[in-house]
Amino acid sequence: MIFFGYTIGEWTEVISIIGVGVSAGSWLFKKIALDPLRSDIQMLSDTINRQLKLHEQSLADLNAHLKTHDDELGSHSVRITRLEDHIGIKGEDNHED
């Protein structure tokens, strides 16, 4: 049987050659472009995750430091109020002009 001037065997050969060429091209593209890209993306992801952990730790440290300052500020406010009461000074809220 002849189709467009070629036999079924010849069409099979052409299709097989094209298939092998496409497969080889696909494999080469994967090895040359995709594998290095995947490797770079993985390294970038690992770096971002490390940075995120460092920033989370810094934020936790900053929050602890802020809580310490808030506690000290509250303590100072109480102590100042007690001193004002002890020596008879009116607070700024009760100050008359």
Side-chain angles (χ1 to χ4, degrees):
M1 183 172 184
I2 297 177
F3 188 67
F4 290 116
Y6 297 104
T7 65
I8 292 178
E10 290 171 332
W11 277 109
T12 304
E13 288 176 22
V14 169
I15 291 172
S16 295
I17 291 170
I18 291 172
V20 167
V22 168
S23 294
S26 174
W27 180 82
L28 278 174
F29 180 74
K30 179 181 179 288
K31 289 297 177 187
I32 292 171
L34 293 182
D35 287 349
L37 183 60
R38 284 186 187 129
S39 175
D40 290 345
I41 289 171
Q42 184 61 45
M43 286 184 350
L44 180 61
S45 177
D46 292 344
T47 301
I48 289 171
N49 285 335
R50 280 193 306 271
Q51 288 297 319
L52 181 60
K53 287 179 184 177
L54 287 173
H55 287 298
E56 286 173 347
Q57 183 60 48
S58 294
L59 184 58
D61 293 345
L62 183 61
N63 282 337
H65 193 68
L66 182 60
K67 172 131 178 51
T68 300
H69 280 281
D70 283 346
D71 293 344
E72 288 177 7
L73 182 61
S75 172
H76 290 159
S77 178
V78 168
R79 291 170 61 199
I80 289 170
T81 302
R82 286 182 184 160
L83 283 171
E84 289 173 343
D85 289 345
H86 180 71
I87 60 173
I89 299 175
K90 292 184 180 180
E92 288 185 29
D93 294 337
N94 298 329
H95 182 59
E96 295 179 14
D97 289 325

